[in-house]
Amino acid sequence: MTYVVTVDICIPEGTPEMDPLQRAGAVALVEDGLDAVRAVEGPDGVQVDVLDTIVAVHPGGALLKVVVDAPALEFAEGSVQVLVDELLERTEVLADWTIERCEVELHQDLARESLAAADGPDAPPDDLALRRARHTAGASSAQNAGEGADGPDGAATKARAARARMLELAAELRAFPPAVFGVEADDDRRAIPAESARLAAGALVHATDTLVDELFEDVQVLAQEDATVAECEGPLWHLERLPDRYALQYDARFARRFLVTVIALTTRFTDGSFQHLSCVAEELALRFLLNEATTTLELHDLLDDHVSTALANLADALCVDTDHDRVHHPAALLPFTSWFTPFTEDSYAHPSTTDEPEAAPQ
């Protein structure tokens, strides 16, 4: 069975955050270490095959996605834990890094097969977007409010739990003070309550995890089919919403670079180092993130006029130094070959997106 294991590794506590040169070296070390392994011996001597890896390094460490073929979830998680432990231990520069999280996600193909096998009135819908909406609402209510909450009272309980969760997550969006969302606005923007700004911020943090996981699944679908978005027969979460003009150029390589761009961008949002959008790909990533946050708020009946205004104010603030229309129609202004090219010399560019040559024609 195929499993996706997400691993967070962090630099030692109290150590200064890595600068761009150190991050470039770290990503090379981690990628080289993982690429050299085709299989690992898991618990009880069970061999687990390593099928694919994605690495995104940020100032405080790295996020790894490791796809493995294992007989059971426990073997997948245990094997990847062993693999990453050994990688850190044998790499002198990374020897003091720690694993903060190592968890298994069920691969999309297996989840789809399981859902397709369901029957009866409670069977999930075939449409993946509708299925995700049902799953998200159900999972959140089960986790935060307990199962079995039906009817008006149950819906209100779910909404209160979701609101509390969003407000809690808001503190993780360190790059943007309330004023960016329009709190106590003293310009032409509409002033909004502080809690609305916090709901918008929390929704963005919540949406980040969802967006990263779903884009990773898009990468896997394209890689497995060895196809572009235009040729792909399997369902995709997000990449089909990119400009149709270049659909034949959106292959697994492009999808990997776009995924790393999303991770790098949202990491700067949460660690407080964000200054401005760096390239067209980041502008596209921003639109995806805002759409995901809006969907999340709608699902929990938290999207009122104030929260919508907060998200709009943030979008305007992030695009202040660029042509606003480019966020919506980037392909109209810059060629596809420039999507990952930094706008300016001081724009942040993740090594995994800039080192790879762009071969696609305009």
Side-chain angles (χ1 to χ4, degrees):
M1 299 179 69
T2 305
Y3 297 93
V4 179
V5 184
T6 301
V7 186
D8 279 327
I9 55 177
C10 300
I11 60 177
E13 187 174 353
T15 302
E17 291 186 340
M18 295 183 290
D19 59 32
L21 182 60
Q22 290 171 320
R23 293 198 292 270
V27 74
L29 290 171
V30 176
E31 286 182 340
D32 289 348
L34 294 177
D35 289 344
V37 178
R38 293 291 175 266
V40 60
E41 185 175 308
D44 300 328
V46 174
Q47 177 172 307
V48 173
D49 295 326
V50 178
L51 306 180
D52 198 6
T53 60
I54 291 180
V55 179
V57 173
H58 54 83
L63 175 68
L64 318 179
K65 293 278 188 175
V66 185
V67 184
V68 296
D69 186 20
L73 183 150
E74 293 79 9
F75 292 109
E77 185 175 279
S79 299
V80 172
Q81 177 92 30
V82 170
L83 171 60
V84 178
D85 270 335
E86 292 182 350
L87 170 61
L88 298 180
E89 184 178 350
R90 69 170 180 262
T91 307
E92 183 177 355
V93 177
L94 309 176
D96 293 330
W97 286 36
T98 57
I99 298 176
E100 296 297 318
R101 175 172 65 119
C102 183
E103 63 184 20
V104 172
E105 303 165 7
L106 187 63
H107 192 270
Q108 185 184 32
D109 291 342
L110 293 176
R112 191 180 300 114
E113 289 175 7
S114 176
L115 290 168
D119 198 3
D122 294 327
D126 292 334
D127 183 82
L128 281 179
L130 294 176
R131 182 180 295 170
R132 177 183 64 176
R134 175 189 292 189
H135 172 73
T136 302
S140 296
S141 63
Q143 180 179 358
N144 297 318
E147 297 183 2
D150 298 321
D153 291 342
T157 300
K158 295 175 185 177
R160 286 194 298 270
R163 175 183 291 271
R165 178 60 177 159
M166 298 302 167
L167 293 175
E168 179 185 359
L169 289 173
E172 297 183 18
L173 201 69
R174 298 179 178 88
F176 308 114
V180 176
F181 292 95
V183 176
E184 300 179 358
D186 56 2
D187 48 26
D188 293 335
R189 296 178 302 167
R190 176 182 170 189
I192 63 164
E195 184 167 297
S196 297
R198 291 173 60 202
L199 284 173
L204 287 165
V205 175
H206 184 279
T208 295
D209 285 341
T210 303
L211 180 61
V212 168
D213 287 342
E214 290 172 353
L215 283 173
F216 184 77
E217 291 186 7
D218 283 358
V219 171
Q220 294 305 303
V221 170
L222 294 177
Q224 289 164 5
E225 294 193 16
D226 191 20
T228 65
V229 166
E231 303 160 337
C232 184
E233 297 180 358
L236 297 169
W237 288 113
H238 297 283
L239 296 182
E240 288 180 320
R241 297 191 288 114
L242 291 170
D244 293 338
R245 178 180 178 183
Y246 299 119
L248 284 170
Q249 315 302 335
Y250 307 144
D251 55 11
R253 186 189 67 166
F254 165 84
R256 285 171 176 271
R257 299 176 73 192
F258 189 72
L259 171 59
V260 171
T261 296
V262 171
I263 295 172
L265 175 65
T266 54
T267 297
R268 282 149 52 215
F269 284 176
T270 55
D271 69 13
S273 64
F274 177 82
Q275 296 182 344
H276 56 79
L277 295 171
S278 296
C279 61
V280 169
E282 285 199 350
E283 293 179 344
L284 286 165
L286 170 63
R287 299 316 307 174
F288 280 5
L289 184 64
L290 289 170
N291 288 338
E292 194 71 44
T294 300
T295 299
T296 299
L297 291 163
E298 287 177 336
L299 283 172
H300 299 293
D301 197 24
L302 298 175
L303 188 68
D304 59 22
D305 289 344
H306 289 310
V307 179
S308 294
T309 299
L311 290 173
N313 286 340
L314 176 67
D316 289 341
L318 295 187
C319 301
V320 67
D321 292 328
T322 64
D323 187 331
H324 186 74
D325 289 338
R326 192 159 55 204
V327 178
H328 301 278
H329 305 289
L333 296 178
L334 287 177
F336 176 76
T337 52
S338 300
W339 279 13
F340 295 96
T341 302
F343 290 141
T344 63
E345 291 184 359
D346 65 343
S347 294
Y348 176 81
H350 193 282
S352 294
T353 64
T354 58
D355 291 345
E356 186 175 11
E358 185 70 76
Q362 297 183 18

